[in-house]
Amino acid sequence: MNKPGLELSVPDTESVTIAEGTLVEAVTLALRYEMARDDCVVILGEDVGVNGGVFRATEGLQKQFGSNRVLDTPLAEGLIAGISIGMAAQGLKPVAEIQFMGFIFPALEQIACHAARLRNRTRGRLSCPLVIRAPFGGGIRAPEHHSESTEALLAHLPGLRVVVPSSAYKAYGLLLAAIRDPDPVIFLEPKRIYRAQRQRIPNDGQALPLDTCFTLREGTDLTLVSWGAMISECTQVANDLATRGISIELIDVATIKPLDMETIVTSVKKTGRCVIVHEAPRAGGVGADIAAQVNEQAFLELQAPVARVTGFDTIMPYARKEDIYMPNTIDIQSQIEKTLNFS
Amino acid sequence: MRGRHRFAIPFLQYLDTHGEVDVPLPAWTSDIERLQKLYEQMVLARTLDQKAVALQRTGQLGTYPSTLGQEAVGVAIGLAMQADDVLVPYYRDAIAQILRGMPPENILLFWGGEERGSDPGGASQDFPPCVPVATQLSHAAGVATAMKLRNESRVTLVTCGDGATSKGDFMESLNLAGVWQLPLVVVINNNQWAISVPLKQQTAAQSLAQKAIAAGIDGTQVDGNDVIAVYDAVKTALDKARKLRQPSLIEAVSYRLSDHTTADDASRYRDQKELNVHWAEEPIGRFQHFLHTRGYWDEAREKALQAHCRETVDAVVAAYLAAEAENPEAIIDYLYAFLPAALEEQREAIGRKAEVLNGQENPGA
């Protein structure tokens, strides 16, 4: 294995372009590309080796790169995060998988007290270039503790990046960027859309920018802000409204920490109206921060209060009632209409 | 599963509590200079430690965790490790850090409220002291994993207190060290108190070393106030990790003669009689007795050492007090490799606020 900074050239076999792939396949593709390019990249987690991960995100990687590059760990999330910190401090680039976000809590101490702080507390001497991947969110009828969206807990912590892809294409480019980033990145994968759609992914190793919102659709009447799986519902609503002559500007936040408010504020100054959509509970959600900053920075341009469409402030219900909890296209459309009609 | 497994925990002690020896000493003890150095560094550790406490009492240092009575553990670790090994310390390892090249004034800077104080100087891959109990065990396991994956002959050594052995991170890391056969040495500084909680309320286990058994790795208990025993155990464990890639656990049984930190008052929960018993067993007196008995030490050397320690500590304090202020933006400049655009305004606000505060402190300046 090479020392930090040394990178292997990309094998020819990796320069293939696949025509179409799902979000979870895009994750595998990005991991495979970066493992071939940089032998400091090491995958670790529960069931990630022989089994290829419970969602198959690491399928085939141990076979291809060996058991020194894809490590099946004992069942201990705090340990997975903790050893990733030690490995990262030694110049490796660990990409750890937490099997579900509902099980990230034992790792939270390591993430908050160490990963996020290592560079600062050593004044740049040691750093923590790790990625912690975790599937998150509801909508797949999973058992208890498998459906939460607690990204705001992580987004509150200085020193972290929190990134949420909304499509296969984004997952590929953002994951490459996350692995190459010199600081810790929490990469939350919306599992509801893991296999929802096949998308063309050029496997060219091109990373997408972090700390940047993506404007998915330009519009003039209202700015719709969201991230992750909810981008699907937002896109559908924006398309429907377009047929009625309502022009929605749709922004995919993508990196929810640190926030690219410039893109959002510029858009709201243009449209005068803003609706934020997230699956997570409302109180203390990332939407609250976005709304506060829009108020601070675009108050005079606002023609209606900034509104939020979110999950309820309750425990994520079990499968039979999760549809009641989850924001849907009707919730989004009706809030958009209210905001447009505000006077 | 068939059969029943029997285990034993070895106990290592060369010097009894009076500094007398009735067992053969390890071969390395023929190196008299090494023995003298072990002693000298323990005395320096105590001198610096007592000075740090005095600085705190006079408002010149923040809360500080004394290492009084546990000097043998830190000195043995600091002298036994190789320069390119990695130390992952907890917060009672000042002398080990200093012996690995940390400028001693950094210890004071750290407890005086400066992030810069975590700079280890020479051993630049060492971790800063870890405050959240036991979390450092898994960092060390990660560092050792990197060493193993790269097929290096370096070793990671991590320390913790007895309280840490009650936490999951301790057992999880020990467990991993066993499964992956990591080049990792775990040293428990069992000073028998976790703030006010004595060891018997921490665990029903007869020893802490036996926790290694459940992880499938070697565990040894040593007299943590016998510097020969601690040094020997640490050296043996480092060699085993280096050459055989085998992890081990060392429980160094010592005693916390001080309060937990300067913010603590142990007289609230600890009997003075118990303290007196342990003062009679502290590591420096017994080792000095041993050196005298062997003719390796005398009054003249002791006098010179005391003077040297005083001078060294005075210079360290002067360097600490003279340290230039770090610029205020440092509180945000090291958060990420590059300052995110979202934080640029806050960075400017930090500079402005510092100017205001500075003006309040120095009106007319």
Side-chain angles (χ1 to χ4, degrees), chain B residues 41-57 61-62 64-71 91-95 98 104 107-108 111 256-262 279 284 309 313 316-317:
Chain B
Q41 294 303 324
M42 287 201 293
V43 174
L44 178 65
R46 186 168 296 183
T47 314
L48 185 62
D49 183 73
Q50 294 309 287
K51 187 66 180 182
V53 172
L55 286 172
Q56 191 280 330
R57 298 295 186 224
L61 196 73
Y64 169 78
S66 171
T67 58
L68 187 65
Q70 301 147 77
E71 294 85 357
Y91 48 80
R92 233 181 273 279
D93 287 313
I95 192 62
I98 291 167
I107 300 289
L108 300 178
W111 297 107
R256 197 191 78 204
L257 292 173
S258 61
D259 297 331
H260 165 66
T261 65
T262 51
W279 259 111
I284 293 180
C309 288
V313 168
V316 167
V317 172

Side-chain angles (χ1 to χ4, degrees), chain A residues 40-46 48 69-74 76-99 104 106-112 114-116 118-119 126-134 160 179 181-186, chain B residues 127 135-147 149-150 169 172-173 176 180 182:
Chain A
C40 289
V41 177
V42 175
I43 287 175
L44 68 158
E46 297 159 6
V48 297
R69 301 284 304 281
V70 183
L71 313 173
D72 271 322
T73 65
E77 289 81 5
L79 179 80
I80 291 168
I83 62 172
S84 296
I85 292 162
M87 292 163 75
Q90 282 290 303
L92 293 178
K93 292 189 160 185
V95 181
E97 178 177 300
I98 298 294
Q99 206 159 74
I104 206 168
L108 209 53
E109 181 181 26
Q110 291 290 357
I111 293 169
H114 296 294
L118 191 61
R119 180 185 293 282
L126 299 179
S127 61
C128 204
L130 60 77
V131 176
I132 294 179
R133 299 176 36 248
L160 291 185
I179 299 171
D181 190 80
D183 291 305
V185 179
I186 311 297
Chain B
F127 268 58
T135 53
Q136 73 276 18
L137 271 291
S138 41
H139 308 156
V143 172
T145 299
M147 290 171 173
L149 291 177
R150 287 175 170 148
D169 300 79
E172 289 174 19
S173 303
L176 185 79
W180 286 0
L182 298 176

Side-chain angles (χ1 to χ4, degrees), chain A residues 1-4 40 42 44 67-69 71-87 89-92 106 109-110 113-114 116 118-126 157-161 181-184 211 257-262 297, chain B residues 86 110 114-116 118-121 123-150 152 154 167 169 172-173 175-176 179-180 326 330-343 345:
Chain A
M1 188 166 290
N2 288 346
K3 294 290 177 193
C40 289
V42 175
L44 68 158
S67 52
N68 271 359
R69 301 284 304 281
L71 313 173
D72 271 322
T73 65
L75 205 167
E77 289 81 5
L79 179 80
I80 291 168
I83 62 172
S84 296
I85 292 162
M87 292 163 75
Q90 282 290 303
L92 293 178
E109 181 181 26
Q110 291 290 357
C113 297
H114 296 294
L118 191 61
R119 180 185 293 282
N120 180 66
R121 66 196 293 262
T122 61
R123 288 301 187 248
R125 180 176 57 85
L126 299 179
L157 299 170
L160 291 185
R161 282 197 161 75
D181 190 80
D183 291 305
D211 304 2
K257 169 83 171 187
L259 272 173
D260 166 22
M261 282 308 298
E262 198 183 336
Q297 297 175 48
Chain B
V86 172
F110 183 85
E114 277 272 1
E115 285 86 348
R116 285 179 299 169
S118 75
D119 189 338
S124 63
Q125 295 183 12
D126 283 7
F127 268 58
C130 186
V131 174
V133 172
T135 53
Q136 73 276 18
L137 271 291
S138 41
H139 308 156
V143 172
T145 299
M147 290 171 173
K148 184 184 162 128
L149 291 177
R150 287 175 170 148
E152 297 170 344
R154 301 190 296 149
K167 291 199 66 172
D169 300 79
E172 289 174 19
S173 303
N175 181 57
L176 185 79
V179 178
W180 286 0
E326 194 181 35
I331 72 172
I332 201 164
D333 281 348
Y334 297 96
L335 196 57
Y336 299 94
F338 307 100
L339 189 74
L343 295 180
E345 266 188 44

